[in-house]
Amino acid sequence: MQFKTLICAVLVLLLNRPAQADHQVDICIYGGSSAGVIAAYTAKKAGHSVLLIEPGKHLGGLTSGGLGYTDIGNKYAIRGLSLEFYRQIGRHYGKFEQWIFEPHVAESLFTDYVQRAKLQVLYQHRIVAADKENGRIKSIRLEANGTTVNVSAKMFIDCTYEGDLMAKAGVSYTVGREANDVYNETYNGVQLLDGHQIPDGVDPYKVPGDPSSGLLWGISPATLQPKGSGDKLVQAYNYRICLTNDPANMVPITRPDNYDPARYDLLARLVKAQPQRTKLNDYFIWSRMPNNKTDINNRNGFSTDMIGANYEYPEADYKKRAEIIKAHEDYTKGLLYFFATDPRAPKPAQEEMRKWGYPKDEYTDNGHWSPQLYIREARRMVGAYVMTQANCTGKEVVQDGVGMAAYTMDSHNTQRIVIEKNGKKMVKNEGNVEVGGFPPYPVSYRALIPKAEECKNLLVPVCLSASHIAYGSIRMEPVFMALAQASAVAAHEAIAGNVSVQEVDAAKISSTLRNNPLADGRNGDILIDNSDKPQLEGSWKTEKGRGSYGPDMLTATANAKATFRPAIRKAGRYSIYVYYPHLKTNASVMNVKVLAGKKEHAVPIKRDEITVVGQTSGEWVKLGTFNLKKGEGSAVEISAGNSEDGVVIADAVLFVPEKR
């Protein structure tokens, strides 16, 4: 009896003790996006136990999900492991770095990061709750095929596009567009502008001129609100579509699930209204990728953006999100099928579309269709600091930057509505904004962390704290990766100092990123920008504008020389590159000389031999590989000849160690 009593007592104790976490680590990263992989890799290389959780089946998010035509803004803004990723892409294709690539190539690189760091990854685990204690997340609860899994950690990083961990932790966030007066902005809120717009005069009704017949599919009955007013509407989502025109690698475009040609009645009217637009490039941004593939994006008034179909997505449960994702897939496949088969499509575009199909070697476990919907914007944290339009344009510059952004303030359309103009009802898209022209700018560390009273051990590099329009500039995949690396460094510092994320010194994060850019102790590149004040002879002008590496560049037309002199910390072989702003330089030959010890090497750069691809207006041109001694005895000279040679640029020089 005594033994049975003892057994019962033990069982009671076991049943009533606090639930123990199934996983206990130093740092937990939720979301296997490009940012999530980089954060996990960085944290592991810092010596921590790390768990990476991916709600789906694939790593890399949108970077491996079809967005191969990388949105950069300015290469100067991309550093550390983010830049190294695109260098690895370049090595795959036999180049120094490359910003356009196939989806499976990107995913293989993210998988390689996981394998090299020996990271533990949980796939198809979705967060259902977060338990907090004394202002810290103690553990999160996950659901996986009916099984509950608990994870406790010292630090958490939310790398999802939706901010699900952030929301479960009770951190403040917003959805939609702020009114302009909230942060003293001009491009937030309602904006009825000309970009990706439907031309005047396109009738919105099923029976033209008859409101009683109802609106065509995809048109909202909402009333246009005053310019700059706020709302909860979310900019449109779409798929970045990968197709191929290689017959040996092609799955034909066929009638998709739930196809309804009425969904494209407005498109048919648009085709009639603009008879001059007959090519696929008039209706899609049809960017070519390596190996006969594409990254297709939205263009003009009716395209891949499923405007107005995503409002519920940010805060929806998983079932509703799955329905919204499926609706976007059906719509997008239906759009391709419309162009391939519907007699209302422009004939030249139809002939083009019939040459394309889904690639057999992409998304092989998902019917050759991307598993990643482009979630351009969902929740946005309202954190310790909110990035705004003033930060993008340089009117307000933060002093605690731990990464940079550089892209245009970009919002896709949020709604398709009916307006009245000159006494006539017509359909218009609303919400598109594309405002750029500013140099790279720093992103505040405080924008990555919640307010101290809300959570002390969470970092949010993807759904970071920014207004709608500022987020439109920051929300680029290379920037997410860079901010994720900074977040992992911050998590390390918080653990090492036994402090909250709010108490971590941003300057220390920046120092670590600068001194250990690849997170594993390898030597980084030596970059000398024109802003680093090279030695100048003759007449050089500082010029801002598109094409420069960084905020500006130096220009000269005759009898001028700029000498870029690095401080070599370790003797060895270095590959040397000079940045060539192709859109600005009009000299047929740029005279460049490398000084390596007592030897001089003349390396003329011929304009006609430079090919610039992707969303960048410049390219790194290799001058060669040289033995360089420690110290400041080496240099690169860029010179302008006579005035007939045209404008010569001195912008940036890069020294890449052969042995890291």
Side-chain angles (χ1 to χ4, degrees), residues 386-587:
V386 180
M387 297 289 293
T388 69
Q389 178 180 324
N391 298 115
C392 300
T393 59
K395 290 183 179 179
E396 184 175 325
V397 181
V398 300
Q399 300 304 309
D400 63 340
V402 291
M404 286 185 289
Y407 201 72
T408 295
M409 289 184 290
D410 177 90
S411 173
H412 283 234
N413 281 302
T414 62
Q415 58 181 334
R416 181 172 285 144
I417 56 175
V418 179
I419 70 163
E420 185 171 336
K421 186 175 181 180
N422 299 325
K424 186 175 180 179
K425 300 283 189 179
M426 61 188 70
V427 59
K428 289 288 179 182
N429 296 332
E430 184 277 315
N432 188 85
V433 178
E434 296 170 80
V435 178
F438 43 80
Y441 58 92
V443 177
S444 171
Y445 172 62
R446 288 166 293 155
L448 310 182
I449 57 176
K451 299 167 186 173
E453 63 270 22
E454 292 185 347
C455 192
K456 298 177 182 178
N457 65 336
L458 173 67
L459 295 115
V460 187
V462 178
C463 293
L464 72 156
S465 181
S467 71
H468 159 72
I469 200 59
Y471 191 80
S473 170
I474 299 168
R475 63 171 182 84
M476 304 303 153
E477 291 286 294
V479 177
F480 284 156
M481 285 191 263
L483 296 179
Q485 184 176 1
S487 296
V489 172
H492 165 75
E493 292 295 339
I495 292 172
N498 193 27
V499 296
S500 69
V501 294
Q502 290 81 13
E503 295 172 284
V504 172
D505 183 2
K508 196 165 185 179
I509 299 171
S510 295
S511 176
T512 298
L513 294 172
R514 184 170 55 254
N515 295 322
N516 188 19
L518 303 180
D520 58 4
R522 287 181 292 164
N523 293 329
D525 305 334
I526 301 173
L527 169 67
I528 308 178
D529 185 58
N530 67 282
S531 60
D532 296 318
K533 298 181 179 180
Q535 181 182 341
L536 302 179
E537 299 176 30
S539 180
W540 290 93
K541 294 191 303 182
T542 300
E543 186 172 335
K544 296 183 179 181
R546 188 180 175 200
S548 66
Y549 185 83
D552 51 38
M553 55 190 139
L554 299 171
T555 65
T557 56
N559 303 318
K561 183 169 70 175
T563 303
F564 293 75
R565 194 174 297 278
I568 302 297
R569 295 182 293 273
K570 184 178 181 181
R573 289 182 62 77
Y574 288 78
S575 294
I576 304 178
Y577 298 81
V578 63
Y579 194 73
Y580 190 87
H582 192 59
L583 291 181
K584 194 69 182 177
T585 305
N586 62 15

Side-chain angles (χ1 to χ4, degrees), residues 126-128 162 164 168 312-325 379:
R126 302 186 299 195
I127 188 168
V128 293
E162 297 85 1
D164 286 343
K168 294 294 185 186
E312 295 180 77
Y313 183 90
E315 298 183 288
D317 60 24
Y318 296 120
K319 181 175 182 294
K320 183 63 179 177
R321 282 185 184 168
E323 293 171 359
I324 294 170
I325 291 169
R379 298 181 178 100

